[in-house]
């Protein structure tokens, strides 16, 4: 009993005839398959082989239509029985070898010539759809299926030939090679050792220092009319001349140290033991490069009054040609009643006044003397008011050994050479100092906030102190700070402490450089 | 506001599993696939005026809301096409691509009649050797496709430059129409899904 299956679609119908293996209604053995296409008189018929070939090819061609990539199955080749190729527009040519066609009466005259059928897209689609429906039909040819799978990469040929595709990377590599070759011949830059760190540092320091020192001439020039001109007119005049027309101050710290020594020696050798003054006299002295004192400037009234008691007028060398003034350095000279002389450099420290790096190594960097505290120009001067801070009794003990010693331990004119480093000791000293000051203060004291810098040695002795500001100097006596000061040698480790007394009479003490 | 029923658990559509992964290692679609999907959807939009609404309805009908979350998400997925003006440099995952394939085939089946009509018209025009303007519906489709394409695709891209003339765009539109026709078949999803990976699998 032949079983017939028919799949009818608008443009194509497929008729399958066959037998079933067993008694069920499943068409498992195909006898004949016939495609009838609307608009084409001739139908395509054939056996299983034909049907399979058509199914495979049409399916592959549909995939090609979808993706645009040619599948090898539908391409015509000598071995293929069926093939499809695209034609212009929406037409496609189906080529079938007559061998597979069962219907011999309608084959073309020449045997072996493939039969060509022109199909429109819709017709082709309907053919494919019929085949798909047949595959989906479980009652018909259950073992038959047309697999739909993507095409593996190896079947796809790239659009551009390999040589053309390889051009950009080859070009890139070639350029890289040429550039590398070119750069290879460039000379390696030579390494030059830095000439010496000190010189670099001093030159670095010189620049910020040049500015404040440059402002000194202005300050001192305003000073001269202010202070009583009891000092000899010519020295004042020469001061004015010198200081106002100074071309460039000497800023080299090495030179400064040398000059300082020279000046110290000059003055001490020339100073006689005439203690005709009770208060220390201080002058600002200009020293030329060769060590000659070219001018001096008294810093307060008593200094100007007693200038003749000092060797300064005799030592001063007034250059003949005042216009040809060379660069000078400024020093502060203090004559104590005991007959000792102290010379300090007038340089300002670089900003952030007391930083550890600055304090420790440079013995030539001294602190600024505030020029009449009214002048606020000396920028970072939160440090010592030296002239008022030096107690008289200190001088006797330290006298001769310290004249030639640049770094004195009196007052706080110098940096600490060996700071105390033990944390517990620092803490203990801190507390001790605080106790001492609290014990010494008046309970009902009131005044503005004041600060002091107090230097202690390891045993807790107050070596020196510096008042920060005019108010602090004023009230130093209230807190009996000057009386605390004892003299000691420089070799012992020391440390600075900051004492802040605010307007509520609260005392705070801490290490000047912070807790370690 | 009272809610009487527990929230709907998102159920993954079983149809997604019918489409195999073809051994693609990463979860990303190949470049050509993104372009092809976007173009097909562009063709659908050119065929039907209310396409975006219909698309969203199709997503609901097919139960693909958890994959294609919203209109904006759909737009972003389509914008993964590298030829778009506002190309989203994000990958199109396989699951999202499968969902798009299902939606496309669903919509194509709804448009079967129209597609066949257009093909018939095209055939007649070609037989009589008339220009494509003579068939009203076909001309409308082509015109709309051209305007959509030019509005959305980045003209600086080399691929887009090949479609700079009207004729080329018409050719593209017609080839896409063929693809739409093929998607209406019984195995439309399978065929479309396989065609996305042509030449990409090892």
């Amino acid at each position: 009993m032949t079983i017939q299956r028919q799949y009818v679609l608008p443009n194509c119908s497929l008729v399958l005839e066959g037998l079933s293996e067993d008694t069920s209604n499943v068409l498992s053995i195909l006898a004949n398959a016939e495609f009838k296409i609307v608009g084409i008189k001739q139908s395509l018929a054939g056996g299983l082989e034909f049907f399979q070939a058509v199914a495979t090819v049409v399916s592959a061609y549909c995939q090609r239509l979808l993706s645009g990539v040619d599948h090898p199955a539908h391409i015509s080749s000598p071995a293929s029985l069926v093939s499809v190729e695209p034609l212009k527009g929406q037409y496609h040519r189906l080529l079938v070898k007559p061998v597979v066609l069962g219907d011999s009466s309608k084959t073309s005259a020449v045997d072996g010539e493939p039969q060509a059928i022109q199909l429109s897209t819709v017709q082709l689609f309907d053919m494919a759809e019929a085949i798909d429906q047949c595959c989906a039909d479980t009652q018909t040819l259950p073992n038959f299926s047309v697999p739909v799978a993507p095409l593996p990469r190896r079947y796809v040929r790239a659009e551009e030939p390999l040589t053309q595709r390889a051009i950009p990377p080859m070009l890139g590599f070639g350029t890289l090679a040429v550039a590398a070759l070119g750069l290879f011949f460039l000379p390696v830059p030579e390494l030059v050792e830095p000439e010496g760190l000190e010189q670099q540092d001093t030159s670095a320091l010189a620049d910020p220092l040049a500015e404040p020192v440059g402002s000194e001439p202005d300050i001192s020039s305003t000073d001269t009319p202010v202070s009583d001109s009891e000092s000899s007119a010519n020295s004042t005049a020469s001061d004015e001349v010198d200081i106002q027309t100074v071309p460039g101050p000497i800023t080299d710290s090495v030179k400064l140290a040398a000059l300082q020594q020279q000046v110290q020696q000059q003055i001490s050798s020339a100073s006689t033991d005439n203690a005709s003054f009770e208060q220390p006299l201080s002058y600002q002295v200009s020293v030329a490069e060769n060590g000659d004192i070219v001018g001096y400037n008294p810093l307060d009234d008593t200094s100007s009054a007693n200038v003749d008691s000092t060797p300064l007028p005799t030592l001063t060398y007034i250059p003949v040609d005042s216009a040809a003034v060379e660069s000078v350095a400024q020093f502060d000279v203090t004559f104590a009643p005991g007959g000792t002389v102290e010379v300090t450099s007038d340089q300002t420290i670089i900003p952030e006044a007391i930083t550890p790096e600055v304090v420790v190594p440079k013995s030539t960097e001294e602190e600024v003397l505030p020029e009449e505290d009214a002048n606020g120009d000396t920028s970072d001067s939160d440090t010592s008011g030296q002239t008022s801070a030096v107690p008289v009794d200190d001088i006797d003990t330290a006298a001769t050994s310290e004249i030639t010693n640049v770094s004195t331990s009196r007052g706080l004119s110098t940096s600490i050479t060996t700071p105390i480093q033990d944390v517990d000791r620092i803490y203990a000293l801190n507390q001790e100092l605080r106790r001492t000051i609290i014990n010494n203060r008046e309970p009902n004291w009131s005044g503005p906030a004041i600060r002091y810098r107090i230097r202690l040695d390891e045993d807790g002795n107050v070596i020196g102190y510096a008042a920060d500001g005019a108010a602090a100097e004023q009230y130093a006596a209230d807190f009996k700070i000057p009386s605390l000061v004892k003299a000691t040698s420089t070799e012992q480790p020391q440390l600075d402490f900051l004492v802040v007394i605010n307007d509520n009479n609260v005392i705070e003490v801490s290490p000047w450089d912070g807790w370690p | 506001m009272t809610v009487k029923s527990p929230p709907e658990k998102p159920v993954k559509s079983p149809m997604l599993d019918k489409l195999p992964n073809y051994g693609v290692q990463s979860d990303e679609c190949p470049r050509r696939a993104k372009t092809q999907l976007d173009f097909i959807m562009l063709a659908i939009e050119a065929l039907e005026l209310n396409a975006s609404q219909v698309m969203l309805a199709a997503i609901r009908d097919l139960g693909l809301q958890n994959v294609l979350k919203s209109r904006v998400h759909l737009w972003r997925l389509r914008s993964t096409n590298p030829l778009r003006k506002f190309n989203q440099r994000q990958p199109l995952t396989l699951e999202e691509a499968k969902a798009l394939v299902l939606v496309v085939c669903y919509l194509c089946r709804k448009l079967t009649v129209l597609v066949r009509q257009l093909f018939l018209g095209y055939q007649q025009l070609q037989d009589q050797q008339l220009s494509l303007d003579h068939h009203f519906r076909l001309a409308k489709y082509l015109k709309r496709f051209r305007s959509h394409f030019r509005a959305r695709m980045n003209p600086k891209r080399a691929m887009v430059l090949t479609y700079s003339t009207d004729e080329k765009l018409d050719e593209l539109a017609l080839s896409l129409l063929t693809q739409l026709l093929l998607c209406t078949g019984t195995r439309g999803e399978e065929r479309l899904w396989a065609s996305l990976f042509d030449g990409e699998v090892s």
Side-chain angles (χ1 to χ4, degrees):
Chain A
M1 287 289 295
T2 56
I3 308 167
Q4 229 187 29
R5 295 271 189 266
Q6 211 174 20
Y7 304 97
V8 180
L9 286 154
N11 286 358
C12 173
S13 65
L14 172 62
V15 178
L16 294 172
E17 287 169 3
L19 297 165
S20 81
E21 284 174 336
D22 48 21
T23 51
S24 68
N25 207 18
V26 174
L27 197 159
S28 39
I29 306 165
L30 182 66
N32 190 35
E34 192 177 344
F35 286 97
K36 284 203 203 85
I37 300 170
V38 170
I40 296 172
K41 287 195 288 278
Q42 195 173 16
S43 69
L44 292 166
L48 185 61
E49 202 187 343
F50 160 75
F51 184 64
Q52 264 181 338
V54 170
T56 317
V57 169
V58 168
S59 172
Y61 191 72
C62 284
Q63 292 304 111
R64 182 244 179 260
L65 281 180
L66 276 170
S67 65
V69 178
D70 274 338
H71 282 235
H74 71 85
I75 306 285
S76 63
S77 68
S80 65
L81 303 166
V82 184
S83 66
V84 187
E85 58 192 29
L87 292 175
K88 189 172 168 301
Q90 53 136 356
Y91 284 107
H92 317 276
R93 188 187 294 144
L94 176 69
L95 295 164
V96 184
K97 285 227 175 85
V99 181
V100 292
L101 289 175
D103 215 358
S104 54
S105 60
K106 295 185 183 160
T107 51
S108 56
V110 181
D111 206 26
E113 197 182 292
Q115 195 176 4
I117 301 167
Q118 188 167 299
L119 294 171
S120 74
T121 310
V122 188
Q123 288 167 338
L124 182 70
F125 169 66
D126 280 342
M127 262 180 87
E129 179 62 13
I131 296 168
D132 282 344
Q133 283 183 4
C134 167
C135 295
D137 190 0
T138 50
Q139 298 277 335
T140 310
L141 295 172
N143 301 329
F144 178 79
S145 66
V146 182
V148 170
L151 189 67
R153 211 174 285 148
R154 58 178 185 272
Y155 292 106
V156 179
R157 259 178 282 118
E159 289 132 25
E160 289 178 52
L162 188 62
T163 47
Q164 230 180 348
R165 279 171 65 200
I167 284 174
M170 294 308 297
L171 204 64
F173 276 121
T175 321
L176 180 66
V178 169
L181 199 64
L183 288 172
F184 175 73
F185 288 113
L186 270 180
V188 178
E190 287 177 18
L191 197 64
V192 176
E193 285 290 326
E195 273 160 40
L197 285 168
E198 263 192 40
Q199 282 194 352
Q200 278 187 356
D201 282 359
T202 54
S203 60
L205 285 172
D207 296 336
L209 288 179
E211 229 260 313
V213 174
S215 68
E216 289 292 359
D218 296 330
I219 297 164
S220 26
S221 60
T222 56
D223 234 356
T224 39
V226 168
S227 68
D228 268 338
S229 49
E230 286 171 37
S231 53
S232 44
N234 56 351
S235 59
T236 328
S238 70
D239 278 353
E240 285 186 47
V241 166
D242 290 339
I243 295 161
Q244 277 173 356
T245 62
V246 73
I250 302 170
T251 54
D252 186 2
S253 50
V254 173
K255 262 197 204 163
L256 282 172
L259 284 176
Q260 194 164 339
Q261 289 264 25
Q262 263 189 315
V263 168
Q264 184 103 35
Q265 275 174 342
Q266 271 191 341
I267 295 178
S268 353
S269 57
S271 68
T272 52
D273 206 6
N274 44 349
S276 52
F277 49 93
E278 284 91 38
Q279 283 191 349
L281 309 174
S282 41
Y283 303 88
Q284 190 182 36
V285 172
S286 312
V287 182
E289 268 187 308
N290 57 358
D292 290 336
I293 300 172
V294 294
Y296 61 86
N297 196 21
L299 290 174
D300 54 11
D301 292 356
T302 43
S303 306
S304 51
N306 292 321
V307 70
D308 291 319
S309 317
T310 65
L312 281 176
T314 48
L315 285 175
T316 308
Y317 161 73
I318 298 156
V320 172
D321 189 6
S322 58
V325 148
E326 59 226 4
S327 37
V328 292
Q330 309 276 354
F331 291 101
D332 291 325
V333 179
T334 308
F335 295 91
T340 47
V341 181
E342 182 195 345
V343 180
T344 53
S345 165
D346 214 0
Q347 303 285 354
T348 56
I349 312 172
I350 53 179
E352 301 108 42
I354 318 296
T355 56
E357 308 87 56
V358 170
V359 167
V360 174
K362 298 280 182 290
S363 57
T364 52
E365 282 177 34
E366 316 288 1
E367 293 155 328
V368 147
L369 294 184
E371 302 277 346
E372 317 288 327
D373 294 349
N375 297 334
D377 302 50
T378 46
S379 51
D380 31 58
S381 59
D382 56 345
T383 55
S384 41
Q386 183 154 343
T387 49
S388 54
V390 177
V392 175
D393 38 345
D394 222 6
I395 300 160
D396 295 333
T397 48
T400 37
S401 61
E402 289 181 328
I403 290 172
T404 51
N405 188 4
V406 173
S407 56
T408 64
S409 61
R410 250 187 303 184
L412 295 182
S413 57
T414 61
S415 51
I416 301 170
T417 44
T418 49
I420 304 172
Q421 293 186 336
D422 177 30
V423 181
D424 297 330
R425 190 77 200 117
I426 293 173
Y427 185 73
L429 287 174
N430 197 47
Q431 299 305 92
E432 206 184 294
L433 179 62
R434 188 159 181 273
R435 280 283 116 222
T436 314
I437 296 177
I438 288 175
N439 292 338
N440 283 347
R441 72 166 175 201
E442 284 159 43
N444 299 322
W445 181 85
S446 65
I450 48 182
R451 293 153 61 109
Y452 296 94
R453 178 177 176 169
I454 296 184
R455 185 165 294 180
L456 300 179
D457 74 354
E458 238 186 351
D459 298 328
N461 300 321
V462 177
I463 303 163
Y465 78 95
D468 176 23
E473 284 169 33
Q474 203 180 334
Y475 291 112
D478 286 350
F479 286 89
K480 304 187 182 57
I481 293 174
S483 58
L484 293 174
V485 181
K486 296 192 189 71
T488 179
S489 62
T490 27
E491 285 78 41
Q492 273 214 341
Q494 301 155 359
L495 197 65
D496 287 344
F497 288 86
L498 168 67
V499 177
V500 178
I501 305 163
N502 72 4
D503 43 9
N504 289 336
N505 208 8
V506 173
I507 297 175
E508 294 166 354
V509 180
S510 63
W512 185 266
D513 296 323
W515 292 102
Chain B
M1 170 183 129
T2 56
V3 182
K4 294 205 173 89
S5 55
E8 281 177 31
K9 245 197 204 164
V11 174
K12 197 171 142 192
S13 174
M15 289 188 280
L16 285 173
D17 295 327
K18 276 201 212 155
L19 300 171
N21 270 8
Y22 294 128
V24 177
Q25 256 72 33
S26 68
D27 196 27
E28 203 188 313
C29 274
R31 207 163 169 272
R32 194 184 56 78
K34 296 186 220 173
T35 313
Q36 192 176 345
L37 272 177
D38 192 26
F39 280 177
I40 287 178
M41 292 176 101
L42 207 62
I44 294 175
E45 279 181 359
L47 270 183
E48 186 170 27
L49 199 51
N50 208 12
S52 49
Q53 276 299 110
V54 180
M55 248 184 238
L56 292 172
I59 291 171
R60 260 199 316 274
D61 289 342
L62 291 169
L64 293 168
Q65 294 100 314
N66 50 333
V67 184
L68 303 172
K69 294 180 186 94
S70 67
R71 192 196 290 262
V72 176
H73 189 225
L74 189 62
W75 174 81
R76 286 175 76 199
L77 291 180
R78 289 181 66 184
S79 302
T80 56
N81 175 14
L83 304 181
R84 280 240 180 184
K85 269 183 190 169
F86 303 107
N87 175 32
Q88 307 279 310
R89 289 182 180 280
Q90 67 190 39
L92 183 68
T93 63
L94 290 179
E95 204 183 348
E96 287 162 348
K98 284 183 200 174
L100 285 177
V101 163
L102 292 175
V103 169
V104 160
C105 289
Y106 183 84
L107 291 172
C108 286
R109 289 197 187 107
K110 282 196 173 169
L111 295 168
T112 308
V113 177
L114 181 56
V115 171
R116 282 179 183 263
Q117 273 180 0
L118 288 177
F119 264 109
L120 191 62
Y122 180 37
Q123 190 181 347
Q124 285 171 349
L125 288 176
Q126 204 171 7
D127 289 342
Q128 294 162 26
Q129 297 191 332
L130 293 170
S131 76
L132 291 171
D133 298 332
H134 290 79
H135 190 274
F136 173 70
R137 194 69 185 79
L138 188 63
K140 202 160 84 153
Y141 162 68
L142 293 173
K143 183 160 161 264
R144 226 189 292 159
F145 182 81
R146 279 199 302 266
S147 74
H148 280 333
F149 188 90
R150 286 196 180 120
R152 291 175 203 187
M153 300 299 156
N154 187 357
K156 294 201 182 102
R157 289 270 183 174
M159 266 281 278
V160 176
L161 281 174
T162 60
Y163 296 118
S164 46
T165 62
D166 277 0
E167 288 82 31
K168 290 271 181 173
L169 277 176
D170 287 347
E171 266 179 47
L172 177 64
L174 291 167
S175 72
L176 285 169
L177 205 60
T178 314
Q179 293 184 30
L180 288 178
L181 179 66
L182 286 165
C183 290
T184 62
T186 324
R187 290 168 89 185
E189 292 96 345
E190 252 188 270
R191 289 194 182 275
L192 182 58
W193 181 243
S195 77
L196 292 179
F197 291 93
D198 263 352
E200 312 285 343
V201 295
S202 53

